[in-house]
Amino acid sequence: MAKLKAALANQQHSAAKAAAKKRSLQFEENKKQSIKASLSGSKKGLKKKTKLDLKDGLSERHSTTAAIASGESSNAASSTSTKTKIKSKTNPNQKPVIPFTKDDTILLLGEGNFSFSLSLLYPPHNMIGKQILATAYDSEEITYKKYPDAEEIVRELRGKGVKVEFAVDAMALEKSKVLGKGRRWSKVVFNFPHVGAGITDQDRNILTNQHMLLKFFGSVEPFLTDGPSTININAKKSKTKGKGKENSDTDDEIEIDEEEEESPYIIDDDDENGLSSIPLPTSSSSTEMKIPSKQGSILITLLTCPPYTLWSLPKLATKPPTLTPGTKLIQPRYELVRSFEFHPDLYSRYEHRRTIGWKEGLSKGGNAEITDRKGKARTWEFVRREKKEDDE
C-alpha cells in the first residue's frame, strides 16, 4: 500500500512538473510576442491584450510552481467550468425583429400567466385568435394558483377566439390530443423554458434542462408546417462585415458559431404608433385555423448568462446526440436560421413570470425578472434540417 501511495505521488508530481514546463514555455512565447508587438508599433488594443497575456502567464507560472511545492496534481486543479464566450456582434441600428406574420399558425408552449399569448392579439402583431393555440404545462387549477392574473387573461383569450389548453407537456406533444390531428404550426414558441424542479446541484440542473430541450426538439418536429422558407436570412450567407445587414432579419451577422461556451454537460456523439391598447378587428368569421404552406420554425428565448448559456442551446438543436435521451428514437437535427434580441416592450400585454409562479414579496412585476438580470433576453430560431444523401 505504501508503494502504491508513493507511485501515485510520483505520478502526480511528474504531471504537475510537466504542466509547469509547458506554462513556462508559453510564458516565454508570450514575452517574445510582446517584444515584437512593441517594436512593430502595434495598436494599443493589441499591446493591452499582450500585457494581459503576460500577466496571465506569470500568474499561471506562479500557481503551478506552488502546486508542485505542495505536491498537488495539476489535474486536480482543472475544472469542468468553461468561460462564457458568446460572440454576437449586435448592430445598434438594427430594428427589433418581430418574427410573426398574419398568416402564421402559432403554438405557444410552457405559458405561465398567458400574457405573452395575449400580447399577440394587440398591435403591432394583431394576430387572429383562431390561429393561436396557447398551452401551459400545469393543470388549469395549478396554473391559476401559481399565477393569480392568469384566469382573467385566459378568459380574454378565449373570448377572442384563442384556444387555450392545460397539462400539455412540451416533451411529449404526440401524447396531447388537444393539438388535433393534421394540425401544423408555422411558429412554435417556447419562451424561457425551464424544468423548474428546484435542483440545487448545478450539473444536474443543466443536464436536466438539456434533456428537456432535446425531448422537446424530438417531439415537436412532426407538428411543423412544410413549404418554402419565408425568413430573410441574407446575413447568414455572409460573414463579411456589413454585407447583407440592412435587409436581414437578424441583428448579429450570424456569427453564431456562437462561440457559445462548450458545455461540459452536452452529450457527445416599423410603426412608432403601433403599440395601441386596442386590438384591430378581423374580417374572418370562420373558426377554423388556416395552415400556411411555408417552412415551420421553432422560437426559443433564453437569457444570455449562466446557467442558461451552459445549456448550449444552438448545439443541442444543430449537433445533438444520435438518440433522444431515454428513448431509442433518432434525434432530429435543425438549422439555426437567425437569432435576435428579444424586446419585451414589443409585446404590450406581456409580463414575464418565472416557472415557480408568483411569490409575493419575492417576484418582480412587469418584465423586471428578465430586464434586471445580467444577460439579455435572446431568441434563437430553428428550422428542420433538410435531409442530405449523407443522412440517409
Side-chain angles (χ1 to χ4, degrees), residues 206-232:
I206 291 168
L207 189 60
T208 302
N209 280 290
Q210 285 184 323
H211 281 194
M212 176 266 292
L213 287 169
L214 286 168
K215 289 177 181 179
F216 159 67
F217 281 129
S219 180
V220 75
E221 187 194 22
F223 296 96
L224 295 170
T225 54
D226 294 310
S229 174
T230 58
I231 302 170
N232 186 348

Side-chain angles (χ1 to χ4, degrees), residues 89-98 232-235 242-254 270 338-343 346 376 378:
K89 294 187 178 180
T90 303
N91 176 10
N93 299 318
Q94 180 71 37
K95 289 183 178 179
V97 175
I98 296 177
N232 186 348
I233 53 171
N234 291 342
K243 189 174 181 181
K245 251 188 202 177
E246 289 183 10
N247 299 319
S248 171
D249 283 342
T250 188
D251 63 7
D252 62 11
E253 296 182 32
I254 293 193
D270 323 67
R338 61 181 175 177
S339 91
F340 47 89
E341 187 175 341
F342 174 83
H343 295 274
L346 285 177
K376 288 186 177 181
R378 191 167 192 83

Side-chain angles (χ1 to χ4, degrees), residues 66-80:
I68 295 172
S70 61
E72 293 178 358
S73 168
S74 62
N75 291 334
S78 66
S79 169
T80 56

Side-chain angles (χ1 to χ4, degrees), residues 46 155 202:
L46 180 60
R155 193 180 299 114
Q202 179 171 279

Side-chain angles (χ1 to χ4, degrees), residues 227-292:
S229 174
T230 58
I231 302 170
N232 186 348
I233 53 171
N234 291 342
K236 187 183 177 189
K237 303 299 180 184
S238 171
K239 288 187 180 180
T240 307
K241 250 188 176 179
K243 189 174 181 181
K245 251 188 202 177
E246 289 183 10
N247 299 319
S248 171
D249 283 342
T250 188
D251 63 7
D252 62 11
E253 296 182 32
I254 293 193
E255 252 189 64
I256 332 183
D257 268 292
E258 218 148 303
E259 275 183 28
E260 270 206 9
E261 50 215 287
E262 241 343 279
S263 172
Y265 312 99
I266 201 116
I267 306 166
D268 285 325
D269 201 1
D270 323 67
D271 180 7
E272 291 183 4
N273 300 315
L275 295 176
S276 165
S277 60
I278 305 172
L280 299 181
T282 60
S283 57
S284 175
S285 59
S286 171
T287 57
E288 288 300 313
M289 62 184 281
K290 293 182 180 179
I291 302 172

Side-chain angles (χ1 to χ4, degrees), residues 113 115-116 149 347-353 358 365-367:
N113 62 357
S115 60
F116 184 83
D149 53 344
Y347 304 90
S348 61
R349 291 295 189 274
Y350 181 48
E351 290 194 20
H352 179 76
R353 296 289 184 267
W358 177 265
N367 289 300

